[in-house]
Amino acid sequence: MTTTVPTAGPTPTPTPAPVPAAGPAPAPGSGAGSTTVTTGPVAAAVPGGGLGGFDRLLEAVVGERAAAVRNVPATLTCFTDHFPRHPVLPGVLLLESMAALARTAAGPGTWRLAAVRGVRFKHFVGPGDQVHLTVEVTAHGPHRTECRATARAGGRVVATARVLALVSDETTREGTA
């Protein structure tokens, strides 16, 4: 079952209000279908309990895909230094938004970013822009998930990431017991 919210017109900045999440995701290998998280401002549905990196979750199908919106307000402190006469959202903040959405698509549990490959920044994102983020899961397992991400603003692609590799926090890190 998939729930999708149309993305026509600008999206207002949501007021943080917890919305109950849909039921728990099925256990891997349980034979159950995909679980859709929910739509709207969903602090309770995003792993970690916050919206980390984006303002509104539009769609989340665990193990398959996710879509979200990030509004870029002119009040961000990074715009004073990056760059004073031509403010630009730092690429690392856009990449963090993609990673946060990838963690949502990966499903329940604690996921950390392990690798990023093939990142391209094609256009500047500035104050007042609204960035539409999409993540498609390309490989999903209990301990590792890989995603492909795209960010669009003003009707054009502003950034892409060919691979965002996430690992479960239960995964033993190299060099540790």
Side-chain angles (χ1 to χ4, degrees), residues 4-162:
T4 306
V5 175
T7 58
T11 304
T13 304
T15 55
V19 175
S30 67
S34 297
T35 300
T36 297
V37 176
T38 186
T39 58
V42 287
V46 178
L51 291 177
F54 51 89
D55 295 312
R56 191 173 117 199
L57 184 62
L58 301 175
E59 175 185 38
V61 181
V62 173
E64 289 183 26
R65 67 185 173 277
V69 172
R70 176 182 182 155
N71 295 310
V72 183
T75 57
L76 287 177
T77 57
C78 63
F79 288 138
T80 58
D81 297 331
H82 198 269
F83 300 97
R85 292 188 182 141
H86 182 67
V88 175
L89 182 71
V92 70
L93 295 181
L94 197 54
L95 186 60
E96 176 53 36
S97 295
M98 291 177 177
L101 189 58
R103 284 190 291 273
T104 301
T110 305
W111 297 91
R112 61 184 167 82
L113 191 60
V116 178
R117 290 190 296 276
V119 177
R120 298 213 172 188
F121 297 102
K122 299 178 181 223
H123 297 283
F124 293 119
V125 175
D129 284 344
Q130 184 175 68
V131 182
H132 292 267
L133 305 160
T134 56
V135 168
E136 177 186 334
V137 176
T138 56
H140 184 59
H143 301 293
R144 184 176 177 88
T145 297
E146 290 187 4
C147 302
R148 177 180 17 245
T150 303
R152 290 180 172 81
R156 62 185 180 178
V157 174
V158 294
T160 60
R162 189 171 27 101

